Amino acid sequence: MVSTPTRPQATKTQPKVPTKTPQAKRPTTPLPIGARIRGAYHKFWSALEGTGTSRNGSTYYLILGSTLALTAIGIMMVLSASSVESIAAGESPYGNALKQGAFAAIGICLMFVLSRINVVWLKRLAWPGIGLALVLLAAVQVVGSSVNGNKNWVDFGGITFQPSEAAKLALALWMATVLARKGKLLARWQHVLIPAVPMAAVIIALVLVGNDLGTAMIIMMVAAAALFFAGVPLYIFGIAGLAAAAGTAVMAITSSNRMCRITSWWTGETCANGTDANYQATNGLYGLASGGWFGVGLGQSRQKYSWIPEAHNDFIFAIIGEELGLVGTVVVLVLFAILGAAIYRVVVAQEGLFHRVLAGTIMVWLLGQATVNMAVVTGLMPVIGVPLPFISYGGSALLMSLCAVGVVLSLAREQMAPAIRPKRVLTLGLKPGRATPKKKTARKRS
């Protein structure tokens, strides 16, 4: 008889390892360049900052370090760019730098205070802040002073202050508060328009009455950024963009000075009345070109000898390029890039709508204003009076920029590991370890 083979039983002690049969390799499609860049970016930040409770606070210290470095560069360059004209006017060559340093010291103190408080408590200042900004902007038109055709300054006991700079931070805080309160209603255009857009329009109109189109453009950018980070439908931005473009065109056509700037920038020639509105930009390009790779040396600029009017203000980037060369300008660009990337990390980590809108708006404000300033100096845009954040001379702009960074630092501080997190200076009624104030519960009537 033929016996049928039996199925061998598998042993429990030594499982059989399946043998791999050779298979044809599947062709792998390379990832798009954008996906690879994003992957490398996230991998870099994860390795730099850590994850979970082991976060080392690199984002916090990158924001702080880049801000302090830009502020220090600003004081140094204000001293270099303004000393010649100060001596010609019979003033101390250190006067403007000392004023800038004093405002920097005050601003840094306020920045550290704001970085140690809970951002949620700033909601209490939203309505008083926007109300004060409106009052000050209206007061400028009554008791304000005009400089170079722009009426933007008020004088308090010998100290000149620019309310439009404070209005940027006040509007960012107010719009974040209002949009966060509306929340899911923002999908309907009625809730988008009221009251956010009318309030922003009033502030922009008050700034335009003072003939400051550059600052008005930055405030438009602030309002648009707040709506974008709040998740407003994109078609509303298209309609608003067309309206803003039409309004800008009307303001340019109705102003001979603005049309002169645009035509001089486009053609490189003088205007019909013989005015060379591109004079400042042309000499700024001369300064950048003569700087070469390493510059002519700190304090050795030729263009600051009255060739560039107000060289320590809006065109200070040209003096940086002339004295410190391409290396100096790249250092400034890298510091702004570090600041922007670190703030972006703070924005994407926020879960609350108020926190995300506030941090995102501040990021667009600072980086957008820096981009516009450097685009003007390099001839990519017509001349617009917009200072370079942290660097250009101006106490109001520096003070408000440092306060805005303090708000972002408060958000970045919450992302750090609790063991290394800087302690709050002002708890404002919060219990230790609690990130948000406890809600009051209504008592039941017996």
Side-chain angles (χ1 to χ4, degrees), residues 325-409:
L326 180 64
V327 174
T329 57
V330 170
V331 168
V332 172
L333 287 172
V334 169
L335 288 173
F336 274 112
I338 292 173
L339 179 64
I343 296 179
Y344 174 76
R345 290 291 299 173
V346 175
V347 174
V348 297
Q350 302 307 313
E351 297 179 357
L353 184 59
F354 170 75
H355 301 78
R356 184 172 66 251
V357 172
L358 183 58
T361 304
I362 291 173
M363 178 185 70
V364 173
W365 160 22
L366 296 177
L367 296 183
Q369 183 168 320
T371 302
V372 171
N373 177 273
M374 289 184 280
V376 169
V377 174
T378 54
L380 298 177
M381 289 180 62
V383 177
I384 301 173
V386 174
L388 185 60
F390 309 109
I391 297 181
S392 291
Y393 176 74
S396 305
L398 179 59
L399 196 64
M400 291 300 106
S401 298
L402 290 172
C403 288
V405 172
V407 174
V408 179
L409 285 174

Side-chain angles (χ1 to χ4, degrees), residues 179-180 182-189 191-192 230-233 236 353:
L179 294 174
K182 285 179 174 291
K184 297 180 180 180
L185 298 175
L186 295 176
R188 299 165 60 182
W189 65 269
H191 290 279
V192 174
V232 171
I236 296 180
L353 184 59

Side-chain angles (χ1 to χ4, degrees), residues 57-187:
S58 61
T59 299
Y60 178 93
Y61 292 109
L62 283 174
I63 295 173
L64 178 61
S66 58
T67 300
L68 294 178
L70 287 169
T71 304
I73 292 173
I75 297 173
M76 177 182 68
M77 295 311 303
V78 165
L79 173 61
S80 176
S82 64
S83 57
V84 172
E85 292 189 359
S86 297
I87 293 173
E91 301 173 355
S92 170
Y94 306 103
N96 290 329
L98 290 174
K99 290 180 182 178
Q100 189 79 348
F103 276 103
I106 297 172
I108 290 172
C109 291
L110 292 175
M111 179 182 70
F112 275 102
V113 170
L114 288 171
S115 69
R116 296 298 195 272
I117 69 173
N118 195 325
V119 175
V120 174
W121 287 95
L122 292 178
K123 290 182 179 181
R124 299 181 175 184
L125 303 177
W127 284 96
I130 200 70
L132 181 61
L134 290 172
V135 171
L136 290 176
L137 288 173
V140 168
Q141 308 308 321
V142 180
V143 297
S145 57
S146 179
V147 179
N148 296 329
N150 293 345
K151 196 172 184 180
N152 281 341
W153 289 264
V154 290
D155 194 350
F156 294 106
I159 299 176
T160 305
F161 184 73
Q162 193 172 357
S164 58
E165 293 295 334
K168 297 174 185 176
L169 183 57
L171 182 63
L173 176 60
W174 180 83
M175 291 193 72
T177 303
V178 171
L179 294 174
R181 188 170 298 175
K182 285 179 174 291
K184 297 180 180 180
L185 298 175
L186 295 176

Side-chain angles (χ1 to χ4, degrees), residues 166-319:
K168 297 174 185 176
L169 183 57
L171 182 63
L173 176 60
W174 180 83
M175 291 193 72
T177 303
V178 171
L179 294 174
R181 188 170 298 175
K182 285 179 174 291
K184 297 180 180 180
L185 298 175
L186 295 176
R188 299 165 60 182
W189 65 269
Q190 297 93 334
H191 290 279
V192 174
L193 293 179
I194 300 174
V197 174
M199 180 65 75
V202 170
I203 291 179
I204 293 169
L206 288 173
V207 174
L208 287 175
V209 169
N211 200 29
D212 191 353
L213 180 59
T215 302
M217 289 176 59
I218 302 302
I219 295 177
M220 291 179 194
M221 198 180 297
V222 168
L227 295 174
F228 176 81
F229 285 103
V232 171
L234 293 180
Y235 75 88
I236 296 180
F237 287 96
I239 299 173
L242 292 175
T248 303
V250 170
M251 287 187 292
I253 294 173
T254 55
S255 173
S256 58
N257 182 34
R258 296 189 186 114
M259 282 301 299
C260 179
R261 290 186 181 186
I262 294 173
T263 55
S264 294
W265 166 73
W266 185 257
T267 62
E269 300 177 356
T270 58
C271 300
N273 58 1
T275 303
D276 187 6
N278 212 36
Y279 174 83
Q280 195 175 20
T282 301
N283 284 280
L285 290 175
Y286 288 159
L288 289 172
S290 61
W293 286 94
F294 302 103
V296 298
L298 184 63
Q300 303 301 315
S301 169
R302 280 78 165 172
Q303 298 301 115
K304 67 184 180 183
Y305 284 81
S306 300
W307 289 103
I308 300 179
E310 301 288 333
H312 57 293
N313 286 335
D314 302 340
F315 272 74
I316 197 169
F317 189 68
I319 305 300

